[in-house]
Amino acid sequence: MSKHTRFLLVSLPASISPTNDHDEALTALRSAVTTDYGTVFPFPIPEFKIGTLDALVQQADELAKLDTACEGVVGKVGDSLKTILEGDEEKVSQSKTVNDKPVEQYLKSFHWNKVKYRTDKPLGEVINTFQKEILSIDNQVKDKYNSYNQVKTNLSALQRRQTGNLTTKSLANIVPPDLIIRDSDYLETHLIAVPRTMVKDFLRTYESLAPMVVPRSAVQVAADDEFTLYAVTTFKKHSQDFIHKCRESKWTPRDYKYKEGGKEEENRELEKVGKDEKRLWEQALRLGRTAWGEAVMAWVHVLALRVFVETVLRYGLPLNFVCGLVRTTGKLAKKARASLDVSYSYLGGNAFGRDKKGRVKKDDTSTSADMQAAGHMGDGGDYSAYVCYEFEIR
C-alpha cells in the first residue's frame, strides 16, 4: 500500500437515490466523488442493538476515544516491527497483513466479523470488547518487546566484552592463571591497561606511584592497537592508593579475579544469551505481525461502529443507509470531500449557515460548539452534512 493512500468512510441515507435503492445510492456516491478524486468500494455495516439517544451520544464519545487508541496501538506495533526488522521497509511492509491479506485488499473486501464481534450483543458490550482487546494487544506487544530488548542489551554487553579493547573486554581468555597471586595475606596482583602512548611513562614511574610496590614486578600481559595490559604486584594495604594513583595518571585498573573454569563459563553464557536473543527475536517478530493485523482489524471495526452510531444520530430510524469506502490520497482527500459537500450539503438541513450556493459554511461558529459536544464534528473539527471519517493506515 502506498504511503500516500488515505481512506474515507462515508455513510449516506439511501434516499439520495430516487428509488431508495442501495446499489443506486452507491452509484450516486461514486458519481459525487468522481474517479478524479478517488475510487469507491461498498463497505457493508450490519445493524446493532441500540439503546436510548443519551446512550448513543455517550457511545459516540467513547468510540471517538477508542478510535484514537486503536490508531495509537497500530502505530506503536508498526514502530516495533520496524525496530526489530532494523528499518528494512520491504520486510516491514511484507509483515503488515490482516487475515493474511494486504491491508488494502482487506478493506476492499471488508465484512463484519460476526464470530469474533457478535452483533446480537448490546452496543455497549461490543464497545467494551474492543476496549479490552486493544489494551490486551498493546500490553502483550509491550511486554514481549521489552523482554527482547533486555536480552539484546545483555548480548551486546557480552559481545563488547569479547571484542572491545583492553579497558573493557573480558580478561578470562587473556590472563594466564599462574600470573595472578592467589591465597596471599600480603601481596596482590593488579592489572593495568595503559595507553600505548604512555607505556614509557608507566614503566618509568609505576614503582614510585605508591608505597610498597614490588620493584620490577610489571609484566606485559597483552597489547592491542590502543592499550598495553600490565600486571603489577603491590602489598595489599597500599592497593587502593596504587589504584587511585593509576586512575589519576589516566591508566585503567581492571577489576579481575581469577576463577577456575571462568573462560568456559563465559563462553557458555555468551552462547546461551545468543540463543535466547534469537528465540525472543523470532517470538517478537511473530507476535508483532499477528498483533499488527489484529490491531488494524479491531480499528477498522471500531471505525465501522463509529459510522453506524453516527448514522443513527444523523439520519434517525428506521435505518436505511449505504456506506462506501473511498480510496484516495492525502492531496486528493480534501477535493473528494469538497465534491461530496457540493452534492450532499442539503443533508445538513436548516441548522447551519450557508453560502450563496447553498453549501454549509465550514466556519459557521453559531452551532459548532454544540455539534462538537454532540460528537457530530469531523476528525479535523469541520462539520460535514453527511457521516464521514478519514483515516490512514501506516
Side-chain angles (χ1 to χ4, degrees):
M1 187 171 66
S2 169
K3 291 181 179 179
H4 306 293
T5 302
R6 292 186 72 83
F7 297 96
L8 308 176
L9 268 182
V10 181
S11 168
L12 295 164
S15 60
I16 62 170
S17 161
T19 62
N20 283 347
D21 180 77
H22 282 212
D23 291 337
E24 287 185 12
L26 192 63
T27 299
L29 173 58
R30 288 192 175 105
S31 298
V33 172
T34 77
T35 54
D36 292 334
Y37 302 143
T39 309
V40 179
F41 303 92
F43 196 88
I45 298 177
E47 293 192 19
F48 300 88
K49 288 185 175 181
I50 56 177
T52 64
L53 178 61
D54 286 344
L56 274 178
V57 172
Q58 181 180 348
Q59 287 160 353
D61 182 55
E62 290 176 1
L63 284 167
K65 295 175 182 176
L66 185 54
D67 181 359
T68 302
C70 288
E71 183 178 8
V73 171
V74 169
K76 284 190 284 186
V77 177
D79 288 342
S80 296
L81 276 172
K82 188 174 182 179
T83 299
I84 203 167
L85 291 171
E86 298 179 338
D88 188 322
E89 293 291 348
E90 185 176 350
K91 289 182 179 179
V92 171
S93 179
Q94 291 170 354
S95 297
K96 290 182 174 181
T97 60
V98 185
N99 280 350
D100 298 323
K101 298 177 182 177
V103 177
E104 194 165 318
Q105 184 181 341
Y106 170 74
L107 289 169
K108 290 177 182 178
S109 59
F110 175 81
H111 280 84
W112 187 273
N113 189 335
K114 293 184 179 180
V115 175
K116 190 172 184 180
Y117 310 116
R118 293 175 56 179
T119 57
D120 60 343
K121 295 288 186 182
L123 198 56
E125 287 188 26
V126 179
I127 294 172
N128 188 48
T129 297
F130 286 117
Q131 290 170 334
K132 289 180 178 178
E133 181 182 11
I134 205 67
L135 180 61
S136 175
I137 291 171
D138 190 24
N139 288 336
Q140 285 181 34
V141 172
K142 193 183 300 179
D143 290 346
K144 180 61 70 176
Y145 275 74
N146 284 343
S147 297
Y148 168 70
N149 286 330
Q150 182 61 54
V151 171
K152 184 180 178 182
T153 299
N154 294 343
L155 179 61
S156 297
L158 288 172
Q159 288 173 335
R160 281 196 301 272
R161 285 175 58 80
Q162 297 294 320
T163 59
N165 60 42
L166 287 168
T167 63
T168 58
K169 73 187 303 181
S170 169
L171 301 179
N173 295 324
I174 296 174
V175 179
D178 57 359
L179 192 63
I180 303 298
I181 296 175
R182 288 171 282 169
D183 304 323
S184 171
D185 293 333
Y186 303 103
L187 298 176
E188 188 171 19
T189 304
H190 303 283
L191 296 168
I192 311 298
V194 182
R196 299 195 69 167
T197 56
M198 303 177 72
V199 166
K200 289 183 179 180
D201 186 47
F202 168 79
L203 293 173
R204 180 173 54 84
T205 61
Y206 80 91
E207 293 178 354
S208 58
L209 207 60
M212 303 188 78
V213 176
V214 176
R216 300 183 182 180
S217 63
V219 176
Q220 181 175 327
V221 181
D224 59 23
D225 292 340
E226 300 175 72
F227 296 90
T228 301
L229 185 69
Y230 284 94
V232 176
T233 304
T234 71
F235 278 74
K236 283 186 176 180
K237 66 178 182 179
H238 294 288
S239 289
Q240 291 305 312
D241 190 18
F242 178 74
I243 289 172
H244 177 69
K245 295 291 177 131
C246 284
R247 289 199 176 101
E248 283 187 345
S249 300
K250 302 193 183 308
W251 308 330
T252 305
R254 294 297 311 274
D255 185 13
Y256 173 76
K257 292 191 181 330
Y258 173 75
K259 182 180 179 182
E260 188 72 36
K263 174 181 176 181
E264 292 75 14
E265 182 180 327
E266 203 168 85
N267 290 336
R268 284 196 299 271
E269 184 183 8
L270 180 61
E271 183 179 357
K272 177 184 178 298
V273 175
K275 288 180 179 178
D276 288 345
E277 190 269 347
K278 183 179 180 182
R279 175 177 55 82
L280 284 170
W281 181 88
E282 291 172 349
Q283 290 178 1
L285 178 59
R286 187 163 55 247
L287 176 62
R289 287 170 171 166
T290 303
W292 192 86
E294 290 179 348
V296 170
M297 185 190 301
W299 184 19
V300 174
H301 279 75
V302 166
L303 283 164
L305 208 52
R306 282 195 80 184
V307 170
F308 174 81
V309 170
E310 185 66 14
T311 296
V312 176
L313 291 172
R314 291 286 189 94
Y315 308 142
L317 298 172
L319 281 172
N320 189 16
F321 70 100
V322 64
C323 183
L325 175 76
V326 182
R327 181 193 183 279
T328 183
T329 66
K331 289 184 179 180
L332 294 178
K334 288 184 179 180
K335 293 182 179 180
R337 295 187 73 155
S339 183
L340 288 166
D341 288 341
V342 170
S343 298
Y344 301 118
S345 62
Y346 69 87
L347 294 173
N350 297 319
F352 297 88
R354 297 174 180 274
D355 60 19
K356 292 180 180 179
K357 294 183 180 180
R359 293 175 297 193
V360 174
K361 291 181 179 178
K362 295 293 184 181
D363 59 350
D364 182 10
T365 58
S366 60
T367 55
S368 61
D370 292 337
M371 296 305 294
Q372 184 77 52
H376 297 308
M377 302 297 280
D379 295 329
D382 289 335
Y383 173 78
S384 59
Y386 49 89
V387 178
C388 180
Y389 293 109
E390 184 174 335
F391 64 100
E392 179 180 3
I393 300 178
R394 299 178 181 177

